[in-house]
Amino acid sequence: MSKNIVVKKNNGGTIAQNKRARHDYFIEEKFEAGLALQGWEVKSLRAGRMTITESYIIFKNNEAFLFGSQIQPLLSASTHVVPEATRTRKLLLSRREIEKLQGAVNQKGYSCVPLACYWKGHLVKIEIALVKGKQLHDKRATEKDRDWQRDKARIMHK
C-alpha cells in the first residue's frame, strides 16, 4: 500500500511591496494589520496580483481603511460576483492602534501608508507605517549616503 504524501507549496510570503514609500517618506513607526477581503480577492492574492504603490490609509468612524490599492481579478473569477479592483478595504487593527495612528495623522502632520502585504500562515497581513514626507534635499542625501555605503563595501571587499 502506498501512502499519499502532500507537499505544501511555499508562496514566498510577500505579495506586494511599496518601495516608493521608503524613498518618499521617513518611516517613524510600523504596525501590522489584518486585511478584510472577499473570496475572489484571496485567490488573486495567491496569484500575486496586487499593487499598493499609490495607496494610503484613511480613517473614518474610528475605523481604518486601505484606499487606492488594486487587486486585479483572475479571469476564472466567479460569474455571480462582480469584482471591483480598487475597492476600499477595511484594516483590522486594535482600537488603541487606530487611535494612535489617527491622532498622529490629524494633529502632528504624519501620513499613514502601506509598506508591504504578505502571508502570515493562511492570513493576509499588511505592514503599515506612520511616515513623514521627505523634501528633495532629504532624498538626495539618502541616495548619496546609500551610494557611499555601497562604495565603502566595495573598497573593503577588495
Side-chain angles (χ1 to χ4, degrees):
M1 298 276 181
S2 64
K3 293 183 180 180
N4 292 337
I5 299 173
V6 178
V7 178
K8 287 192 176 183
K9 182 179 163 189
N10 187 3
N11 289 340
T14 304
I15 299 167
Q17 285 188 334
N18 188 358
K19 294 180 181 178
R20 186 143 187 88
R22 298 187 191 280
H23 181 262
D24 289 342
Y25 303 104
F26 290 116
I27 297 172
E28 301 291 328
E29 194 172 355
K30 295 179 184 179
F31 297 90
E32 180 181 74
L35 201 54
L37 298 169
Q38 295 176 349
W40 69 269
E41 292 173 328
V42 176
K43 289 181 180 180
S44 293
L45 289 180
R46 291 205 185 278
R49 298 175 61 108
M50 181 179 194
T51 57
I52 56 173
T53 51
E54 297 292 323
S55 60
Y56 55 94
I57 283 75
I58 56 174
F59 299 96
K60 197 182 295 182
N61 298 332
N62 291 328
E63 292 180 331
F65 296 94
L66 179 64
F67 185 79
S69 66
Q70 290 188 339
I71 298 177
Q72 294 299 325
L74 297 173
L75 295 175
S76 62
S78 178
T79 56
H80 67 278
V81 175
V82 180
E84 186 180 344
T86 57
R87 182 177 73 88
T88 302
R89 294 163 182 91
K90 185 176 179 180
L91 295 177
L92 307 173
L93 290 162
S94 69
R95 178 172 294 172
R96 189 173 294 149
E97 290 173 329
I98 291 174
E99 289 171 354
K100 183 175 185 176
L101 288 168
Q102 194 171 10
V105 167
N106 290 338
Q107 295 172 358
K108 299 177 186 172
Y110 287 99
S111 296
C112 195
V113 295
L115 297 179
C117 186
Y118 54 91
W119 294 101
K120 190 171 186 180
H122 66 283
L123 302 174
V124 176
K125 298 289 185 175
I126 190 159
E127 183 179 35
I128 61 175
L130 203 55
V131 296
K132 250 194 172 156
K134 283 185 182 178
Q135 300 290 327
L136 183 60
H137 60 85
D138 293 329
K139 293 178 188 177
R140 288 181 184 151
T142 303
E143 188 173 331
K144 186 177 178 182
D145 187 46
R146 187 175 350 119
D147 290 343
W148 167 242
Q149 294 297 330
R150 189 180 314 128
D151 290 343
K152 189 168 67 172
R154 191 176 298 138
I155 291 169
M156 296 298 283
H157 187 264
K158 288 182 182 180

